[in-house]
Amino acid sequence: MAVATRPASHWLYQLANTWLLLSYTNPDVLVLRLFLLLAGLCYVLWGSLAIGAIAVDTVVWNSVLTTINAYRATQLVWARRPITFEMEEHEEIYTEVFKPIGIGRLQFKTFMEQGLSRTLRSGSTFIEAGNVASNLTLVYTGQMNIMSSPKDGRPPQKVGSVHRMQVSNGLRSLYHLARKCALL
């Protein structure tokens, strides 16, 4: 018994399936979205032009899917744009401290925009005993001494210091220092 065969489908249908095949084999999410977008466009054209009559369900579904993929691809392109920092120091802080622990450039830029950068004169008081430090403090250059104020009228005594942060110390040291400072 002979098996009945039909000729291959229209070239737009074949092209759409080729884009789908390529999307399945590509590990990059942006490229996957772009391939799916191209496949959807081919299906929309195929459903509109190639069948002889407009296949409304094919056109509508693939238009919706193409729109979703276009939106997601745009989000991915936006997220991958180069992020620059306003101050040269921010680039160094990001590279030495935040990048090694997996913080992205966009997250760090947002963090720095919401933060406060300031310069203190030598001998200035940063925070007094009894006050709660509710923010993260990074010493970019110089040194900050940790002083205790005895209650018996003696002069303040140095109990520790914070130097410019190094990568080898990382945030773990900063956390321990913050705990130590909070106990003073």
Side-chain angles (χ1 to χ4, degrees):
M1 175 180 336
V3 176
T5 59
R6 298 181 66 199
S9 294
H10 193 271
W11 67 270
L12 280 169
Y13 182 81
Q14 298 300 331
L15 185 59
N17 285 319
T18 302
W19 288 124
L20 287 178
L21 176 67
L22 290 172
S23 76
Y24 299 148
T25 61
N26 195 294
D28 186 348
V29 176
L30 176 59
V31 175
L32 171 118
R33 290 290 184 178
L34 293 173
F35 284 162
L36 290 174
L37 186 142
L38 291 170
L41 285 174
C42 287
Y43 279 129
V44 168
L45 291 173
W46 175 71
S48 301
L49 307 172
I51 300 175
I54 295 178
V56 176
D57 56 345
T58 300
V59 171
V60 169
W61 275 110
N62 284 287
S63 294
V64 169
L65 297 175
T66 300
T67 303
I68 292 169
N69 282 306
Y71 175 73
R72 293 295 187 182
T74 303
Q75 283 182 319
L76 289 168
V77 168
W78 179 254
R80 292 183 183 185
R81 76 191 185 285
I83 303 293
T84 56
F85 302 123
E86 294 177 19
M87 299 172 60
E88 186 177 314
E89 295 87 16
H90 291 177
E91 182 68 43
E92 188 176 347
I93 293 168
Y94 171 74
T95 303
E96 290 184 14
V97 179
F98 290 91
K99 184 178 181 180
I101 60 171
I103 305 283
R105 292 181 71 84
L106 182 59
Q107 291 171 310
F108 178 73
K109 184 173 184 174
T110 303
F111 173 71
M112 293 307 292
E113 287 170 350
Q114 293 176 356
L116 170 68
S117 180
R118 63 180 165 176
T119 302
L120 298 176
R121 291 187 314 263
S122 180
S124 298
T125 300
F126 178 71
I127 189 169
E128 294 181 359
N131 291 337
V132 177
S134 61
N135 51 11
L136 174 66
T137 300
L138 296 175
V139 177
Y140 177 67
T141 58
Q143 173 180 323
M144 184 185 304
N145 293 324
I146 303 168
M147 310 292 284
S148 70
S149 295
K151 302 208 186 298
D152 60 8
R154 290 184 292 158
Q157 297 175 343
K158 182 177 172 182
V159 295
S161 63
V162 181
H163 298 273
R164 181 183 183 279
M165 256 181 92
Q166 301 294 321
V167 152
S168 59
N169 295 340
L171 289 180
R172 180 170 291 150
S173 296
L174 184 65
Y175 172 74
H176 288 303
L177 179 64
R179 287 178 52 101
K180 181 177 177 184
C181 290
L183 297 174
L184 294 177

